[in-house]
Each structure stands twice: as C-alpha cells, then as structure tokens.
Amino acid sequence: MSDLLITGARLLGGEAKDVLVLGGTIAEVGSGLDAPEGAQRIDADGLGLLPGFVDLHTHLREPGREDAETIATGAAAAAAGGFTAVLAMANTSPVTDTAEAAERVLDLGREAGLVDVQPVGAVTKGLAGEELAELALMHRSRARVSVFSDDGRCVHDARVMRRALEYVRAFGGVVSQHSQDPDLAGSSACCHEGELSGRLGLPGWPAVAESSIIARDAQLARHTGSRVHVAHVSTAEGVEVVRWAKAQGIDLTAEVTPHHLLLTQDLLSGYDPTFKVNPPLRPSEDVEALRAALADGTIDAVATDHAPHARHDKEHAFVDAAFGMLGLETAFAVVHDTMVRSGALDLATLAERMSAAPARIAGLTEHGGAIEAGAAGNLVLVDTAASQTVDAAASKSLSRNNPWHGMSFTGAVHTTILRGRVTASLQGAS
C-alpha cells in the first residue's frame, strides 16, 4: 500500500478532480488537494480515471503449463491492461478442484503482487463433468472461492449442473458455464457452422449449441433459485436467450470477449491458428448483436478469456492447433475503439462493464466501486486520445498468440494502481 496523489483526472471521463490515496485507500476527492511528504504524484491532466478493471475470465496456466504463462507473467500482462483483479480459470494441471489447489493459486498471485488473483474453482473433479469438486471446501478456504467453472468444457449433464447450482446457492456462489452442447458441437468444432465452414472443410460449431445450453441453465437457475453466469456469449441466438432469461427475473449474468466484439469468422479463411478460439469467431451479424447487447446491458460484462499458448501448441494445422488467444493487454483499447468511439457506450458505462459489473458478479468488494473517500485505491488512468499499434513482441505475456498484432486502436491504458501503488505505467508517469 502506498500514498499517492493524482491531480486533474477526469473521473469516469467527466469533471476533473484530484484524488488522494493514503495507505491504499482513497482519502479524499476534490480540487487543490495536498499530499503528505514522500507521496507519489501523477499529473493526470487530460486523462480519464476509472475503477481498476476486473477480468472474470483469465487463463494463467500455472500450475502445469508454465511454458505458456505463469501467474507472475499473466499478472504483469493484466496490470499493463489496466486490471487490478483477475479470476484465474481452473483448467490448470492439476485442476483447481481442491481447497489446497485454490490456495496455491491465491498465494502465487500475492507473491506476484501486481493484481489480485482470485482462483476460480472447478465445478467437477478433474473437469470430467461427473462428480462435483470440493465446492464448499474451496469457498471456506483462504481463497474464498465463489465462482466455479469447468471452462473449456461444458457441464453437459443437467443433473450435475442442477446439483452444482443447489450447492453454491448455500453460500452465494455462482457457476460460470462454457455453453457448448457437445452433442451439437464436439471437441473438434472450430468454425461457425455455415457456408464458410463448409467451404474451408472445418468442423462446424452451430449457434444452437450455445443457445440451447444457456436456455437449459436459465431454467435450472430458476428452478434452484441459484445464480448462473454465461461465459463468452458469442451468438445473436445466445443473446436472445439471455435477454429472455433476464426478462423472466432469472438470476443470470453474461459476459462477452473483446475479440467477439470486433473480429469475425472471415479471418479464418487463411487458416491462421492465431484466430482459432472457443467459441469460434462468428459472422458480422452476431458481432452486431453482441455490441447492441453490451450497450443495452443485456450482456453485463466484458471478460477477456485471455488464453496464452506456447508456440508448439499453436503452430499446427488449424484443426489440430490449440484454442485461444491473448487479450489482457488490449482489452481496453479494443472495447474503447469499438464501443466508445462509435458512441455505443460512454466512458462511465465502459467502467460499469469492465469494472463494476464483473466485480459484483465475482463478489470482489474492494474492486469496481465508486471513486470516493473510503474506497480501495484500485484505479486505472486511461488516455482516450492516444493511438497505439499492437506489437506482439512487446507483450508482457510469455506467449505470442496475439490476434491484435499490427492493428491500431485509439485509447490506451496509461497507469494502473493497486491499493495506491503503481503496478504499470505505460506512458512514463511520475
């Protein structure tokens, strides 16, 4: 924790204010503020100040695949992207399906000290989809796990999903579902099902494989009185079901990735495995539906699904390459360029989708709150006028499966602050 004075920042893109952080907590917000001797100062004239971003969906690979990412390198990438908290998915090796495994991830995150790393617990043992993992023990552990997911695999068995929802209801937990019916889109499915998948000869992934699971889980959430979260919704059909569920009063939330807000299936025509992701990139009409749903609040949050891979896992024929792409460092730029510059969102609503809503869903009370006295000093300064061209070689991640390489965006993270301490300063803040 540190003492810090930020001067002249535009809070949520609005009025310019000074913000004084003492001992890791916001002490005062106003004009002409003074700081104690020794406090760090940042002149934020012209910059926007937002609550630090929270990522509901990050793959940090440790333990087991430290050749692709470690918690330390993933945390560095997250801080560079403006994040002050990330939720680390459970599909590690060994799987995060015990209290001990969750606590190990928590401790490694604390050692890195750049963002709060909150473990996500597996729903089922070994992600096998058969027997529930130690849900209550993980929640009662030092890691205080509240979000559970077999991400990468769908909890396909309705009985298992129902039991998981009943179990987490007791302590206010949430199940985050990878909505992919394996009977409609098997493990080899890697291209949106349609004319393009047929022309390219790639196994198809139809929209109904997503929407049918969302519909089932919505009904199970209503039946159990529990909470379900839809990971990386990617289709207009999926959006329709999410909208219907919310209209019914079902306790369901949803996220969308930056890549599904911008990239389309047309990029697969060159068989470049950088663009192989699960769920796959979709047609432009789905992209438009996702943008509209994020704008109107049907989709609650942006989540990166940051999925680093070593070169030897991506450098294969398209059908054999690993699923996933990087996303932590570029998330703000992509969302700002796509949604704010187009007028679909203002900066305050971007903060709601990237900070406040994901923090609420995950139960992270120290993140995503209002910028006011008494709140934790977890903040991000952004430069909405800055232009940047993505260079994959400059990434803090160990991996280079970066779909944004060579693309230019307007909007950049300037400085990331965790409890008053600068964890990333991309523009030389002093």
Side-chain angles (χ1 to χ4, degrees):
M1 297 181 183
S2 302
D3 296 342
L4 173 69
L5 177 62
I6 304 168
T7 59
R10 295 180 293 107
L11 271 61
L12 302 178
E15 187 178 1
K17 294 285 186 180
D18 301 343
V19 177
L20 178 63
V21 182
L22 299 177
T25 300
I26 298 174
E28 193 174 356
V29 177
S31 300
L33 301 184
D34 292 322
E37 185 176 351
Q40 184 175 4
R41 295 170 180 263
I42 298 176
D43 179 1
D45 183 41
L47 301 177
L49 183 64
L50 313 176
F53 303 140
V54 175
D55 190 13
L56 287 166
H57 196 144
T58 305
H59 297 275
L60 295 179
R61 304 304 186 205
E62 187 177 8
R65 287 305 308 268
E66 290 84 354
D67 58 329
E69 195 79 284
T70 66
I71 288 175
T73 60
F83 292 91
T84 55
V86 298
L87 275 73
M89 283 293 165
N91 59 341
T92 48
S93 181
V95 172
T96 307
D97 56 5
T98 66
E100 292 79 10
E103 288 178 349
R104 178 59 176 157
V105 172
L106 180 76
D107 291 341
L108 287 169
R110 288 177 174 173
E111 288 175 18
L114 296 173
V115 299
D116 286 344
V117 177
Q118 175 60 41
V120 172
V123 178
T124 64
K125 290 184 178 180
L127 309 180
E130 298 173 356
E131 184 179 357
L132 290 183
E134 297 178 358
L135 308 183
L137 290 177
M138 284 189 277
H139 179 70
R140 291 199 296 265
S141 74
R142 286 187 294 109
R144 301 297 297 168
V145 178
S146 293
V147 180
F148 301 87
S149 181
D150 279 2
D151 184 64
R153 303 182 187 181
C154 179
V155 182
H156 180 227
D157 188 308
R159 180 172 172 271
V160 172
M161 186 63 176
R162 173 186 174 177
R163 289 181 59 216
L165 289 168
E166 290 171 338
Y167 215 98
V168 303
R169 181 186 60 197
F171 50 80
V174 59
V175 176
S176 176
Q177 175 71 290
H178 176 106
S179 302
Q180 178 183 2
D181 187 330
D183 294 327
L184 295 172
S187 59
S188 65
C190 57
C191 181
H192 177 77
E193 185 177 277
E195 184 274 333
L196 182 67
S197 65
R199 177 161 52 84
L200 298 179
L202 296 175
W205 208 118
V208 69
E210 175 176 271
S211 58
S212 60
I213 293 295
I214 298 173
R216 184 206 70 178
D217 288 350
Q219 296 282 26
L220 289 174
R222 174 157 60 183
H223 178 75
T224 60
S226 192
R227 286 201 298 150
V228 68
H229 178 72
V230 183
H232 45 49
V233 62
S234 66
T235 63
E237 285 186 23
V239 167
E240 289 176 6
V241 179
V242 170
R243 187 173 283 119
W244 168 84
K246 290 190 168 190
Q248 301 301 306
I250 296 169
D251 201 349
L252 179 145
T253 53
E255 71 189 35
V256 65
T257 71
H259 50 269
H260 285 114
L261 287 172
L262 181 57
L263 307 181
T264 70
Q265 65 172 359
D266 295 341
L267 291 165
L268 274 59
S269 295
Y271 294 101
D272 183 347
T274 303
F275 299 108
K276 182 181 179 183
V277 67
N278 188 4
L281 301 179
R282 303 292 189 178
S284 58
E285 53 266 32
D286 290 299
V287 171
E288 292 302 321
L290 294 169
R291 292 182 185 181
L294 184 66
D296 69 22
T298 299
I299 294 176
D300 303 83
V302 173
T304 71
D305 196 6
H306 175 82
H309 288 292
R311 291 184 185 277
H312 58 263
D313 290 322
K314 271 291 189 179
E315 292 179 350
H316 293 279
F318 193 90
V319 293
D320 299 320
F323 290 100
M325 53 183 60
L326 302 187
L328 283 169
E329 292 166 274
T330 50
F332 170 73
V334 174
V335 177
H336 178 268
D337 212 51
T338 303
M339 300 297 296
V340 178
R341 293 190 72 217
S342 69
L345 296 179
D346 58 19
L347 201 60
T349 309
L350 179 147
E352 166 67 22
R353 305 289 190 265
M354 293 188 68
S355 303
R360 283 196 305 270
I361 292 166
L364 300 181
T365 56
E366 288 193 354
H367 296 269
I371 302 175
E372 61 187 14
N378 298 320
L379 304 164
V380 59
L381 285 163
V382 298
D383 187 342
T384 58
S387 297
Q388 61 171 311
T389 300
V390 178
D391 178 4
S395 175
K396 302 290 186 183
S397 172
L398 282 182
S399 293
R400 294 293 178 263
N401 52 310
N402 193 327
W404 314 106
H405 178 68
M407 296 187 189
S408 296
F409 299 100
T410 299
V413 170
H414 182 281
T415 304
T416 307
I417 300 156
L418 180 68
R419 287 184 284 279
R421 179 171 58 88
V422 172
T423 56
S425 183
L426 307 188
Q427 302 294 329
S430 61

